[in-house]
Amino acid sequence: MPITLYHQLAETLAEAIHQGTYMPGCRLPAIRRCASNHQVSVNTVLTAYRILEDRGLIEARPQSGYYVRDTLPSLTRQAFSRTSVRSPSSEKLDLIDTVFAAQNHSEYTNISLACPQSGDFFPTAKIGRIIASLLRREPELIGRYALPPGSLRLRREIARRSRELGITLSAEDVTLTHGCMEALQLGLRAVTRPGDCVGVETPTYFYLFPLLASLGLKVVEIPTDPQYGLSLDALELLLQEKRIQALIAMPNAQNPLGSSMTLEGKKRLARLVNHHQIPLLEDGLYTELQFCWPLSPAVKAFDEDGWVMYCTSFTKTVAPDFHLGWIAAGRFSQQLARLKAVSSLAESRLLSEALGHFLESGGYDHHLRTLRRRYAAQLEEARGIIARHFPQGTRATRPSGGFVFWVELPGNVDSVELFHRLLQEKICLTPGALYTLSDRCNNALRLSCCYPFDERYTWALKRTGEVACEMSGIAAGI
């Protein structure tokens, strides 16, 4: 579906606000003047302004016009602090289990689960038609194993698409996996042994902690900037001191911050891991959901000697239930193929072929463009709700892609206590304490914008702000 004129105008004006062309408190051009400047109708301008109002970027003042709101403050760079080797406590693992169980409760309104909860986020109808067609033409597909490395059609399409991220691959470089988590697990099993230390971003995706613990691995947390990602100075010190045996990082649209490293930062990261010969497991789960175009490249694009293992899946973009992922393991490809064979043997041939056909058709590119626009708009709308309904002094990241972001509450609000209080009202969020083994994120939480912005979701978000105001004793608003 082509982007409408009013959405184009809204995006143009939003970008001008973010870049400071229109500062907080500044009056936007009058409706007729804006229509003349952009050569669109008055109704187009009105609709664009309403979109910006919904996102919380502007406000209408009676008999005065539209003005740029004081937007939600962004998180600032955090000071580097040396971290120690840690293992997740039983209390931390229990909290992860508790939150995960709540996230899967059908009666709860979830505002933080990082999985789209509506069919209109996925190309279900088209995928369904492809599967039906394949079964009619090739019914034998469900009677044969797709032994590692998996469907050649899908691997060829993955290799072709990887060029958009600057990665040069052949189908032979790709091994299909059961989602991104299996790709990470296989990668860790290939390059570590029990007792080794693995560097991770902090905050990081919380399910890495049970994964690392299950493999007998220890954690070294590395400071991660809310805007620019992993601290390379801190990493370089760890590498020089030989304190880690592997590294896991999300250089593009990091979970939970939504941050992305600069191009120079990615090049430096590739140089560091190649120079010190430390494997990097690059988690690219949200890379194709970056809001910029062309897409910012992966670190794997600058990998000279095969020390970067690129892992991702299609669970966030096409079909969560397929649980199809892949890994390009560089110099560790042979070990990966063996491990995959003894881990889960094979992925579904039918689902792999269906996904391969979908990628071939060009439908994926159109689908991704729609998702990027929708997530960018919903993130802005959620930030606007937070600015109006959360305690004064609340700060949040402004993601460069994906649909999750990080919120830090003022005062002494404990987000674990907030989680338990909201559960009584059947609202589920994810407290910041899950994303680190330290106690530095107790006043933070992760929110997700991969839901329809209906009355139920917006009510839950506003109610979260109200309870945070009650706990902090701080009034709502900027």
Side-chain angles (χ1 to χ4, degrees):
M1 183 175 64
I3 188 169
T4 59
L5 280 176
Y6 54 81
H7 273 114
Q8 288 180 0
L9 180 58
E11 294 302 325
T12 299
L13 294 171
E15 186 64 23
I17 291 170
H18 293 324
Q19 292 180 351
T21 305
Y22 296 118
M23 300 293 290
C26 173
R27 185 175 184 270
L28 288 180
I31 291 172
R32 292 190 181 279
R33 182 179 174 188
C34 185
S36 176
N37 290 344
H38 293 275
Q39 298 183 330
V40 295
S41 70
V42 167
N43 284 338
T44 295
V45 177
L46 277 170
T47 306
Y49 279 9
R50 289 192 191 107
I51 290 171
L52 296 177
E53 273 192 289
D54 290 340
R55 295 190 195 176
L57 293 177
I58 67 173
E59 61 184 359
R61 297 180 186 174
Q63 324 226 320
S64 181
Y66 290 86
Y67 290 79
V68 178
R69 289 179 57 93
D70 289 328
T71 55
L72 184 65
S74 296
L75 287 172
T76 55
R77 184 182 295 271
Q78 299 171 335
F80 164 62
S81 59
R82 194 176 180 86
T83 58
S84 58
V85 176
R86 300 174 186 266
S87 295
S89 64
S90 58
E91 292 79 11
K92 182 76 68 174
L93 296 175
D94 288 344
L95 180 59
I96 290 173
D97 289 342
T98 299
V99 173
F100 193 68
Q103 285 182 333
N104 286 279
H105 199 298
S106 60
E107 295 183 3
Y108 292 170
T109 300
N110 207 308
I111 58 174
S112 63
L113 181 64
C115 183
Q117 296 293 288
S118 173
D120 62 349
F121 287 97
F122 301 114
T124 50
K126 187 160 188 175
I127 293 288
R129 289 193 296 270
I130 291 172
I131 291 175
S133 175
L134 281 172
L135 283 174
R136 284 194 304 271
R137 291 184 288 110
E138 303 177 61
E140 70 277 4
L141 282 175
I142 61 173
R144 297 201 307 260
Y145 283 118
L147 296 175
S151 163
L152 178 59
R153 181 190 301 275
L154 180 54
R155 288 186 292 115
R156 281 175 176 165
E157 285 301 305
I158 288 170
R160 178 183 64 82
R161 294 192 58 81
S162 296
R163 291 196 290 270
E164 292 184 359
L165 299 173
I167 307 173
T168 301
L169 298 174
S170 67
E172 288 67 35
D173 297 320
V174 175
T175 298
L176 300 185
T177 62
H178 198 60
C180 190
M181 281 298 286
E182 188 188 42
L184 292 169
Q185 181 197 89
L186 296 175
L188 287 168
R189 288 171 60 192
V191 301
T192 63
R193 56 187 179 184
D196 281 353
C197 294
V198 177
V200 302
E201 298 156 315
T202 184
T204 192
Y205 173 53
F206 62 83
Y207 241 82
L208 288 182
F209 298 134
L211 171 60
L212 293 167
S214 72
L215 297 174
L217 301 171
K218 299 175 182 178
V219 176
V220 177
E221 295 184 299
I222 304 172
T224 304
D225 185 79
Q227 183 176 356
Y228 300 109
L230 185 71
S231 169
L232 297 179
D233 291 338
L235 172 63
E236 186 166 17
L237 182 61
L238 290 170
L239 293 175
Q240 290 171 349
E241 295 176 350
K242 303 186 184 303
R243 293 181 60 200
I244 60 174
Q245 284 71 55
L247 171 67
I248 303 175
M250 293 185 75
N252 286 309
Q254 194 256 11
N255 178 10
L257 297 174
S259 60
S260 291
M261 299 178 69
T262 64
L263 183 62
E264 285 306 311
K266 293 173 187 174
K267 291 179 179 178
R268 182 183 172 193
L269 177 54
R271 288 196 301 269
L272 283 172
V273 297
N274 277 272
H275 174 74
H276 290 276
Q277 298 187 349
I278 294 295
L280 163 63
L281 283 80
E282 180 179 5
D283 186 341
L285 193 57
Y286 297 91
T287 297
E288 289 193 303
L289 291 175
Q290 295 177 80
F291 301 146
C292 62
W293 187 263
L295 298 177
S296 181
V299 173
K300 180 68 176 174
F302 310 108
D303 180 27
E304 294 184 354
D305 296 320
W307 289 95
V308 179
M309 310 166 74
Y310 189 81
C311 311
T312 189
S313 83
F314 296 94
T315 56
K316 306 299 183 185
T317 55
V318 181
D321 190 58
F322 284 20
H323 228 71
L324 283 170
W326 59 274
I327 181 169
R331 61 173 51 237
F332 306 102
S333 293
Q334 191 171 6
Q335 295 100 304
L336 253 294
R338 292 196 193 107
L339 288 169
K340 172 61 181 176
V342 299
S343 173
S344 54
L345 186 62
E347 297 306 311
S348 163
R349 180 181 291 274
L350 173 62
L351 300 183
S352 299
E353 288 294 307
L355 183 54
H357 277 279
F358 179 61
L359 299 185
E360 280 181 341
S361 72
Y364 188 47
D365 294 295
H366 171 76
H367 172 64
L368 284 176
R369 287 193 294 270
T370 301
L371 279 185
R372 291 176 191 132
R373 288 197 300 268
R374 184 169 183 179
Y375 288 143
Q378 293 195 171
L379 281 163
E380 288 292 357
E381 187 173 346
R383 284 174 53 87
I385 293 172
I386 291 169
R388 295 190 295 275
H389 295 278
F390 277 54
Q392 295 175 24
T394 298
R395 294 179 177 271
T397 54
R398 175 169 279 121
S400 59
F403 46 73
V404 299
F405 66 112
W406 189 249
V407 178
E408 288 190 357
L409 300 166
N412 58 351
V413 176
D414 184 329
S415 59
V416 175
E417 181 185 347
L418 179 63
F419 162 75
H420 286 294
R421 285 187 57 172
L422 288 169
L423 274 190
Q424 298 174 20
E425 302 186 37
K426 297 185 177 181
I427 298 172
C428 183
L429 57 77
T430 313
L434 264 65
Y435 297 87
T436 175
L437 299 183
S438 72
D439 58 1
R440 284 175 291 188
C441 297
N442 289 349
N443 67 326
L445 50 101
R446 186 193 74 179
L447 295 176
S448 177
C449 295
C450 58
Y451 310 97
F453 267 46
D454 55 18
E455 185 177 350
R456 181 181 179 188
Y457 175 87
T458 54
W459 167 80
L461 199 54
K462 292 173 184 177
R463 181 58 187 151
T464 300
E466 290 172 0
V467 175
C469 288
E470 294 169 9
M471 291 175 63
S472 65
I474 301 174
I478 298 170

